[in-house]
Amino acid sequence: MTDWLELSVEVDPEAVEPVSELFARTGYNGGVVVEQPLIVPPNEYPDWSALQQPEIDPTRPVSVRTYIADDGEAPGKRRELEAALWHLGQLRQVGSLNARVCKEEDWANAWKDYYGIQRMGERVVIKP
């Protein structure tokens, strides 16, 4: 199995689109994850239907991530991204590129570890 390199950066909300485009050109299958910071209202309501939806916090940076195979080409791709992010950083607020190695998992079966047996009535049982 292949290990993966998670590349992430925190950016100004105005820089999300160009950084996402840059990551899509490099990342596996063009995949990009954008995590916007949320303002979560306090849980003051006992009724779930009365909960408010969280809002995006425009004052905090946005996290943008992509994944590349951790192989012989990874260091070159990482250097290219760092150089491109430096150039974008001359126009907008762009943080430094962070990297983390992620082990490949068998996702088709890994979810079963967190999903327990559920009984749905007298005769129906859902079991992973």
Side-chain angles (χ1 to χ4, degrees):
M1 284 194 224
T2 304
D3 287 341
W4 295 92
L5 198 58
E6 177 188 81
L7 302 173
S8 64
V9 66
E10 288 193 347
V11 301
D12 175 312
E14 294 291 323
V16 170
E17 190 172 336
V19 171
S20 295
E21 174 63 25
L22 178 65
F23 277 18
R25 292 180 185 182
T26 306
Y28 180 74
N29 280 346
V32 177
V33 178
V34 176
E35 287 185 7
Q36 297 187 344
L38 300 177
I39 302 170
V40 181
N43 188 1
E44 300 172 357
Y45 308 100
D47 180 15
W48 285 96
S49 63
L51 288 177
Q52 299 175 1
Q53 293 295 320
E55 297 177 26
I56 294 173
D57 185 350
T59 63
R60 294 180 21 217
V62 178
S63 176
V64 183
R65 274 194 318 255
T66 193
Y67 297 86
I68 61 173
D70 190 14
D71 57 15
E73 296 179 16
K77 289 179 180 180
R78 184 175 174 181
R79 281 192 300 273
E80 288 176 15
L81 282 174
E82 285 174 334
L85 289 171
W86 181 86
H87 287 287
L88 285 173
Q90 302 307 302
L91 303 171
R92 303 297 308 168
Q93 181 68 33
V94 176
S96 59
L97 186 65
N98 300 308
R100 178 176 73 98
V101 175
C102 301
K103 298 289 183 189
E104 173 95 17
E105 290 190 39
D106 179 9
W107 294 107
N109 292 310
W111 66 274
K112 295 177 185 178
D113 293 339
Y114 305 100
Y115 191 88
I117 296 173
Q118 292 188 1
R119 299 195 181 280
M120 309 298 260
E122 292 180 25
R123 297 183 186 202
V124 177
V125 176
I126 299 175
K127 180 182 175 193

